Amino acid sequence: MVDIELLRLVYFQNEEPVPYQLKSGYVLNIHPIKVKHWSEFENSLSLLMIRKNEVNDIRVIQMSYLQYLHDLVIPSDDIYRCMFYTIMTRALDEKMFYLDKSKGRRVIGLGNEDGTVKGLITHKEFDEISKIILFQNIVDFDDREVNPEVREMMEEYQSLKNKETNSPTLERKKVYVIGRTGIPMRELNEMTYRTFSQVYSSELDSEIYIAQKMIQASPKYDTGKKNIIHPLFEKKKDIYEEMFLDNEGFQNKINQANNSM
């Protein structure tokens, strides 16, 4: 059982790799991804987040996730093979590896340069390693099991909520952080993406907070409105709770979108 909160306290927040001992005895080191490798790595993370159990095929649902990748996903497309290679080399820093079977089950073999086997990753271990990789690199990663219909509603809500905004590229985020903090590009690229994403959000939130406080100081400001709290001390909102609380606004946005079509 992976204790994500313990890993966050001991490893994630210190930008340290997470040691993971396999049943075969070998200790893997799961490395946080640096900013300079993030664009390549981010494109590969989807390999670990395929909703296998929503596939309308009982045989697929009965497979382990590793078997599903081994038998159906990775052999089907070179892009998936590249994703798997990127995850193994960047996150696990393993250069010699292969997909295989052991006692009838799918495993990932880890090899030495001389061709000998130094470890095996079982399907259960792969599930735990995947979970660590996702939480280690994505600060607000959410792995809750959600009804597909509710998740679809959330995706539509987020899409409508952000309809008038533009999602900046990683390059623009880096330039923004450099402009706000003075951190040189070389140092920024060596930062873990987990840390960088929080620096970016903190700088952006602080800038918005100062602008809001200036508006609040205006004589025309409605004093009956809720006081503006600094983002560092603001209670974190649950995205699903926010959606349901904003149900009326959500429906209005849907109606507006339908009317504009």
Side-chain angles (χ1 to χ4, degrees), residues 112-258:
N112 294 304
E113 291 185 0
D114 62 2
T116 57
V117 177
K118 62 183 179 183
L120 295 174
I121 300 175
T122 67
H123 68 93
K124 289 183 179 179
E125 290 170 335
F126 182 76
D127 289 344
E128 292 191 340
I129 291 167
S130 298
K131 183 175 182 177
I132 292 171
I133 290 172
L134 291 165
F135 276 97
Q136 180 186 46
N137 292 288
I138 305 173
V139 174
D140 56 354
F141 182 71
D142 189 344
D143 69 341
R144 287 177 293 181
E145 292 291 333
V146 178
N147 182 291
E149 292 182 2
V150 174
R151 187 177 61 248
E152 187 176 337
M153 285 174 59
M154 169 54 67
E155 290 170 354
E156 186 175 3
Y157 173 74
Q158 294 284 54
S159 176
L160 289 169
K161 184 179 177 182
N162 301 320
K163 186 178 180 181
E164 304 300 325
T165 63
N166 176 57
S167 181
T169 63
L170 177 58
E171 182 179 17
R172 290 188 67 188
K173 289 180 179 180
K174 287 161 70 173
V175 171
Y176 176 78
V177 170
I178 290 171
R180 292 277 298 179
T181 66
I183 299 173
M185 180 67 81
R186 184 177 290 106
E187 291 182 21
L188 201 68
N189 280 332
E190 291 300 321
M191 191 183 292
T192 66
Y193 182 77
R194 181 189 180 89
T195 298
F196 167 78
S197 64
Q198 293 180 87
V199 173
Y200 169 76
S201 295
S202 295
E203 291 296 328
L204 184 60
D205 288 344
S206 293
E207 191 172 16
I208 294 172
Y209 168 76
I210 291 171
Q212 289 176 331
K213 292 300 284 186
M214 291 174 67
I215 294 171
Q216 189 179 40
S218 169
K220 296 182 179 180
Y221 184 79
D222 184 357
T223 56
K225 288 185 177 180
K226 186 178 178 182
N227 187 38
I228 299 169
I229 303 171
H230 192 282
L232 192 62
F233 306 106
E234 191 175 14
K235 185 179 179 181
K236 188 175 180 180
K237 296 177 182 177
D238 181 275
I239 57 173
Y240 289 99
E241 182 180 349
E242 179 187 350
M243 178 184 71
F244 287 115
L245 287 174
D246 189 33
N247 184 56
E248 184 178 346
F250 181 33
Q251 290 300 325
N252 288 337
K253 287 178 181 178
I254 290 177
N255 293 334
Q256 289 172 9
N258 289 335

Side-chain angles (χ1 to χ4, degrees), residues 28-44:
L28 275 173
N29 282 305
I30 306 173
H31 296 265
I33 304 304
K34 293 182 179 181
V35 171
K36 64 182 179 182
H37 297 138
W38 183 249
S39 294
E40 172 196 17
F41 191 79
E42 183 183 22
N43 291 331
S44 301

Side-chain angles (χ1 to χ4, degrees), residues 95-112:
K95 310 303 180 191
M96 309 289 291
F97 54 87
Y98 54 93
L99 290 164
D100 204 353
K101 293 182 182 179
S102 177
K103 299 179 181 179
R105 294 182 180 274
R106 306 305 187 273
V107 296
I108 300 174
L110 305 174
N112 294 304

Side-chain angles (χ1 to χ4, degrees), residues 69-83:
L69 295 183
H70 181 286
D71 292 2
L72 301 177
V73 177
I74 294 176
S76 68
D77 198 315
D78 286 341
I79 293 176
Y80 290 123
R81 282 191 281 273
C82 289
M83 289 179 175

